[in-house]
Amino acid sequence: MKRVACLVAIVLLFTLIPAFAADITQPGDPVVGVPNDSDWPDAETPPMAIDDNGNTKFLHFKGASAPPTGIRVTPTHNDKVVVGLSFTTANDHDDRDPVAWELRGSNDSINGSYTTIASGRIVDFEQATGWPRYTKNTTPIVFENTTVYQHYEILITEVRDPGVANSMQIAEIELLDGTPSVDVGGPYLLRSPLDTIQFDPTVTDIDSGPEDFTYLWTQTSGPGTVDFGGTETMPNATAVFPSDKGYYELELLVTDEMGNDANDVLQVRVWDPATEDAMVAYYTFNEGQGTIINDSTDYNEDGLLGARPEGSEPNFAPGWIPGDAPNNYALEFSNLGYVEVVPDPNSPSPNLSEDVQWSISIAGWFNANDWDGNRRILQKGASDNQFRLLAEDDQFVFHLSGVGRLEGPLPVAGQWHHAAATYDGWMMRLYLDGAEVASLEASGLIDSTQDALFIGTKHKDVTVVGDYFMGLMDDLRIYNYALDEDEILGLVALGENAPPLVSVVDPEDLVLSVQNYIDMDATAFDVNGDAITYKWTSSDPDHVTFEPSDNVEDVRAVFAQAGTYTLRLSVADYMYGLDDSIFAEVQVAVTNPTCEDVIAAGLGMFGDKDEDCDVDLVDFAAFAANWLLCNDPLNPNCINPFQEE
């Protein structure tokens, strides 16, 4: 058994989503729909298109069947010339995304009359693969315009798939002027001992290039002094933060060659793990009876068993944590049951709000009957607007509103598995049975709500059976920081058993010139210390052999001929019932050598004068020409017959 650990020094560098210029609209500007017939859901109205909130959207049911649809708006900042647009996709159904637009302006009233300014396509949204959800277009939408208008009409003239879509939807529309736009990102979390951030802001101006800008970074607040080290006039400034924990505010001021300026403010929190890391909720489910689920932390966020009127409350069942004996219980969810966590007003962080905005970990043991529908392990935010861990679209989903959505493989149903989801302010990660299975670069604050935390469902008014977890849960924990791999493996080790983990390093492709083998590098690990057996197999067993045998961890794979091979290492501990399904595999391309490969390896043929890997009449002619010059081998002045003339 081999386990590899490494310590990595981290350099923090941020590349942000482009912005094109300043948006002249703002939340609260007068907005009406086009057509203004209220053919939209009550919570997805026209003003949602300019509310600066990518989690909301405007949806018009006529957008697919009877376009165009859109909005009319009277911007507060209507003294600017609009020369660009941006669009942000909504939460679901990419078939409803707009792919064509028309912009019109009026100086009469919001009701017109209107003059066409420009029209075009949203090329990002009409690619073969749907554009990511909650994401702005990155290909600039710009056009020529010199006229200032008081009112604007933005029409969506086509959606991505009108044959499938039942509507048009858009999360955000921006009307962009020609002043600089700056986005420094954030907010960001800096955990001690890390103390340095190098910034990479996005600064754009439709009518200016990067060389035309001047930059100035300043600190506007904080418990200590931030040191820019002389880089404060550079866009990619480096900031070194003191050890004083707390909140720091930095500002970047950007000025273009015309004297127009823009700024953006960045918040950084310096976090002291020694005093701020905490487990903020811990449900052992070891009560064994009653209707109260105790929170074993000082946060005292206890839960109450509940169920839909037509369902039944969860029951206590034998648990999976031997160390909890004699009170080793799990909670079994079988029929529209759930746990509703009741906020304690005296808690250090009532209702798990502010304390899990910057970072979070969710960890627990689960034995699902199935993953049909959108089975919720837990969720806070009735409108999917805080945090949740669930099955959705046949994926295991970790979603943090305001940060991102991470998808990974679902654990096998009918077996106990440990799952952990973490966010450290920079990366979201998913772990199954201690192994990282998915990750995503992400930043920002997790949205906060006053909605209750629910275990086993979305909220108590859900009527969809598929939104309720079915199966067993044990040892459910929430932390206000991101657990590391060793901490997660420690939680896995608390369980009665867990499947072994296996990985294989992806090797370089092989050219059959100097050698015909690859030394494989594999790692297998069992957190419970159970003995592991190994079995190497190939997609073409007739032409691959494993030395010294196919039942050791690290082998030499020997190839008899060129081809593309899939090599698989299966492992088993014969303790968990998954003995045929725990494996890692890699693909290797094995090719015959080219003449250049042979020459480079020093394996060229004697007499191959022209290095074409063939001794032929051309080579003999060169040999003969030199031989005629001198053929006395005892004469030191005689030319080598194999030497070029």
Side-chain angles (χ1 to χ4, degrees), residues 357 385 581:
Q357 280 195 286
N385 54 345
S581 59

Side-chain angles (χ1 to χ4, degrees), residues 43-231:
E44 297 170 356
T45 58
M48 302 294 184
I50 64 159
D51 65 355
D52 291 343
N53 184 351
N55 292 310
T56 64
K57 67 183 179 184
F58 166 47
L59 182 149
H60 203 304
F61 284 114
K62 290 186 175 65
S65 60
T69 56
I71 63 170
R72 291 174 177 171
V73 57
T74 303
T76 299
H77 306 292
N78 54 12
D79 58 343
K80 305 290 185 180
V81 176
V82 173
V83 292
L85 295 172
S86 78
F87 298 90
T88 300
T89 58
N91 63 317
D92 58 9
H93 292 288
D94 60 25
D95 52 276
R96 304 173 183 170
D97 291 347
V99 296
W101 57 270
E102 180 179 345
L103 177 66
R104 307 171 72 196
S106 173
N107 284 318
D108 296 330
S109 75
I110 197 170
N111 297 317
S113 60
Y114 280 91
T115 299
T116 298
I117 300 171
S119 61
R121 312 287 296 181
I122 310 173
V123 296
D124 293 332
F125 293 2
E126 60 181 350
Q127 297 180 31
T129 301
W131 200 245
R133 303 297 82 197
Y134 308 102
T135 305
K136 186 184 296 186
N137 61 288
T138 57
T139 302
I141 300 175
V142 296
F143 42 83
E144 292 185 4
N145 178 37
T146 58
T147 303
V148 174
Y149 290 99
Q150 304 299 302
H151 318 277
Y152 292 90
E153 181 179 66
I154 306 99
L155 300 176
I156 304 304
T157 57
E158 183 182 345
V159 297
R160 177 179 172 82
D161 191 345
V164 174
N166 68 350
S167 58
M168 180 282 297
Q169 65 179 25
I170 191 69
E172 285 293 307
I173 300 173
E174 293 181 321
L175 300 175
L176 306 173
D177 66 18
T179 60
S181 174
V182 54
D183 185 354
V184 295
Y188 297 114
L189 180 66
L190 200 58
R191 287 175 58 87
S192 299
L194 295 176
D195 62 358
T196 303
I197 300 176
Q198 183 183 7
F199 301 106
D200 187 18
T202 297
V203 180
T204 54
D205 189 341
I206 290 175
D207 53 5
S208 300
E211 69 279 359
D212 298 321
F213 299 129
T214 59
Y215 306 87
L216 181 61
W217 288 89
T218 56
Q219 179 185 354
T220 57
S221 66
T225 301
V226 177
D227 182 9
F228 291 100
T231 67

Side-chain angles (χ1 to χ4, degrees), residues 516-552:
N516 64 344
Y517 63 85
I518 297 175
D519 289 325
M520 305 302 297
D521 184 5
T523 301
F525 173 70
D526 191 291
V527 69
N528 304 107
D530 301 325
I532 299 175
T533 63
Y534 308 90
K535 179 65 175 179
W536 283 93
T537 56
S538 166
S539 58
D540 187 356
D542 292 337
H543 297 105
V544 182
T545 56
F546 298 99
E547 297 177 353
S549 73
D550 61 7
N551 58 7
V552 295

